[in-house]
Each structure stands twice: as structure tokens, then as C-alpha cells.
């Protein structure tokens, strides 16, 4: 659905261009989640939004989305493996929120094209 598209390659390139965000320290708000917790929560929230907004999706399409999202989270885990257990900084939080929204946009586009 999206993993084999140019948009996903561009998204991974965007991540690699912003890796410096994860290599430096920054402000951490009290009670901040770990980087991995935030990634999982943000991505899960966006997957739920995709499914809620696209009620025409079949069970097979929803399953494909979940499988591909698992692959995306795995890719993020691999790239950020050395920092996933660190508490997220304010700057990293903003980036992860944006990244998750871009993932949702990829799926929204793919769903619209397949309709």
C-alpha cells in the first residue's frame, strides 16, 4: 500500500535528515514518555484515525494498513535503536508528531487512489 511507494522513501529520507534531533539533549517535560512510547502512541492514534475516516476500508485493507504500520514502527526502531528508551525532548516530540501525521497522509493518499 505505502511501503513500496516513493512517498515512503521520501519519509525515511526526511527522518535521516533529522537524526541530529535524536543525538542531542534538550528540554524534557516532567513525565515525558520514552521516544518509543511516543512513536507507538502517535502512530496508533493515526492508524485509528485512518480507519475511522475511511469507513469504506475492507477488513483486508485494514489488516494491510496494520501490517505496514508495524513495518514502519520496526524501521523507526532500527534507525533510532540507540535512543528509543530515552525520554523524548520537546523538539523530538514535535518531530515525531509531524512524522506520524506524514505517515497518516501517505495512507490517506493510498486509500484515496485505490477508491
Amino acid at each position: 500500500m505505502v511501503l513500496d511507494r516513493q512517498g515512503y522513501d521520501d519519509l525515511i529520507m526526511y527522518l535521516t535528515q533529522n537524526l541530529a534531533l535524536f543525538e542531542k539533549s534538550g528540554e524534557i517535560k516532567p513525565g515525558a514518555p520514552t521516544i518509543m512510547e511516543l512513536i507507538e502512541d502517535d502512530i496508533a492514534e493515526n492508524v485509528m484515525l485512518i480507519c475511522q475516516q475511511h469507513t469504506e476500508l475492507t477488513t483486508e485493507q485494514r489488516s494491510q494498513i496494520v501490517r505496514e504500520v508495524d513495518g514502519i514502527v520496526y524501521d523507526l526502531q532500527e534507525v533510532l535503536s540507540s535512543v528509543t528508551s530515552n525520554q523524548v525532548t520537546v523538539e523530538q516530540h514535535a518531530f515525531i508528531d509531524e512524522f506520524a501525521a506524514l505517515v497518516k497522509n501517505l495512507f490517506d493518499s493510498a486509500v484515496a487512489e485505490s477508491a
Side-chain angles (χ1 to χ4, degrees), residues 14-64:
Y14 178 62
L15 172 64
T16 58
Q17 291 169 346
N18 286 280
L19 282 178
L21 287 174
F22 297 93
E23 296 169 354
K24 60 183 181 180
S25 59
E27 178 189 352
I28 297 174
K29 290 188 177 179
T34 66
I35 290 171
M36 199 65 227
E37 289 169 338
L38 181 63
I39 288 170
E40 290 172 344
D41 288 349
D42 273 8
I43 298 285
E45 184 178 310
N46 279 289
V47 168
M48 288 188 285
L49 283 173
I50 293 165
C51 293
Q52 289 170 351
Q53 292 170 348
H54 300 282
T55 56
E56 73 282 2
L57 289 171
T58 66
T59 302
E60 183 179 315
Q61 289 170 315
R62 290 172 193 264
S63 294
Q64 183 179 7

Side-chain angles (χ1 to χ4, degrees), residues 8 11-12 15 18-19 21-22 32-48 66 68-89 91-104 107:
Y8 184 66
L11 190 60
I12 294 301
L15 172 64
N18 286 280
L19 282 178
L21 287 174
F22 297 93
T34 66
I35 290 171
M36 199 65 227
E37 289 169 338
L38 181 63
I39 288 170
E40 290 172 344
D41 288 349
D42 273 8
I43 298 285
E45 184 178 310
N46 279 289
V47 168
M48 288 188 285
V66 170
E68 290 200 10
V69 165
D70 283 345
I72 292 168
V73 171
Y74 178 80
D75 288 347
L76 288 170
Q77 251 179 325
E78 288 295 305
V79 172
L80 301 173
S81 63
S82 65
V83 296
T84 55
S85 61
N86 295 351
Q87 282 187 294
V88 69
T89 67
E91 199 172 31
Q92 292 164 350
H93 197 296
F95 175 81
I96 293 168
D97 287 349
E98 180 182 15
F99 188 89
L102 292 170
V103 168
K104 180 185 179 298
F107 281 101

